[in-house]
Amino acid sequence: MARFGMAIDTVLCVGCMDCVVACKTENGLPEGLCRDWIVTEATGEFPDTNLEIRSERCNHCDRPPCVHCCPTRASHVEDRGHLVQITKELCIGCKACLASCPYDARYVHPDGYADKCTFCMHRLDQGLPPACTAVCPARCMHFGDLDDPHGDVSRLLAARRHHALQPEAGTGPRIFFLT
Ligand code: SF4
Ligand code: SF4
């Protein structure tokens, strides 16, 4: 069984936001709401400084608090790809999942249900990568099975320095940023 995740190359990312626009278009998101976003983070002190540009979204965590706190099982882990998904028909809009996510990856859709990145599951069903990954002009985003040692993502993680967001939260995020 695959365990999908991403490796995103922060050295190549130019912050163009094509991934954000592609996601909004592909998923028909309401005005003002996004499932992915760009973060720029400056670290160090001059002259030893670094500017990291990251495309962030739901981390499809291995130990997702958003799933464990959901009273209706609307938030759940799909067998295929171990992806964290939401059945909007079961969602009562209680927002417990929004409060539990350390990454602020969820929002309430105007129709009243919790929503977030799905890794474009409808595209995966067609053998296509997520829209953000497909459109990136810098080719900085890599999507695949973290449990496949010969896959693109696993090879990059083995070869490059990388980090995940807030590992101390204990959620087991599955998006890694190559540095
Ligand atoms: Fe849940 Fe947030 Fe992790 Fe996504 S990033 S699986 S919404 S805890
Ligand atoms: Fe579950 Fe919906 Fe409540 Fe989130 S808002 S915890 S998905 S019922």
Side-chain angles (χ1 to χ4, degrees):
M1 191 88 68
R3 197 169 59 90
F4 288 134
M6 277 185 171
I8 300 178
D9 194 331
T10 64
V11 178
L12 294 178
C13 179
V14 294
C16 66
M17 296 187 70
D18 278 9
C19 50
V20 178
V21 174
C23 174
K24 278 188 76 79
T25 306
E26 177 72 28
N27 295 292
L29 301 186
E31 194 175 336
L33 294 174
C34 294
R35 291 180 178 180
D36 57 354
W37 57 92
I38 297 292
V39 170
T40 56
E41 183 179 17
T43 53
E45 285 188 27
F46 183 81
D48 188 18
T49 57
N50 182 58
L51 181 68
E52 182 169 293
I53 306 176
R54 295 192 300 264
S55 174
E56 296 186 6
R57 59 196 44 64
C58 168
N59 284 277
H60 291 271
C61 303
D62 277 337
R63 296 175 292 281
C66 55
V67 169
H68 298 139
C69 74
C70 179
T72 67
R73 300 192 181 171
S75 287
H76 62 281
V77 179
E78 293 272 332
D79 285 343
R80 192 172 59 86
H82 280 274
L83 298 182
V84 175
Q85 304 291 19
I86 303 163
T87 306
K88 64 181 182 182
E89 293 79 11
L90 293 178
C91 177
I92 56 174
C94 70
K95 303 183 189 171
C97 56
L98 275 76
S100 76
C101 173
Y103 309 101
D104 207 14
R106 294 179 170 225
Y107 55 85
V108 178
H109 189 279
D111 289 343
Y113 57 86
D115 202 16
K116 68 169 192 70
C117 163
T118 65
F119 272 165
C120 283
M121 197 156 70
H122 59 289
R123 287 175 58 91
L124 302 184
D125 287 341
Q126 301 168 45
L128 299 170
C132 55
T133 305
V135 302
C136 178
R139 299 191 186 281
C140 78
M141 304 173 71
H142 303 266
F143 176 85
D145 181 5
L146 294 173
D147 287 343
D148 175 5
H150 305 296
D152 203 18
V153 177
S154 298
R155 284 191 291 107
L156 281 166
L157 294 180
R160 297 272 302 274
R161 279 192 313 164
H162 58 271
H163 67 94
L165 298 179
Q166 299 187 55
E168 68 279 7
T171 59
R174 295 210 302 261
I175 294 184
F176 298 93
F177 297 95
L178 306 172
T179 60

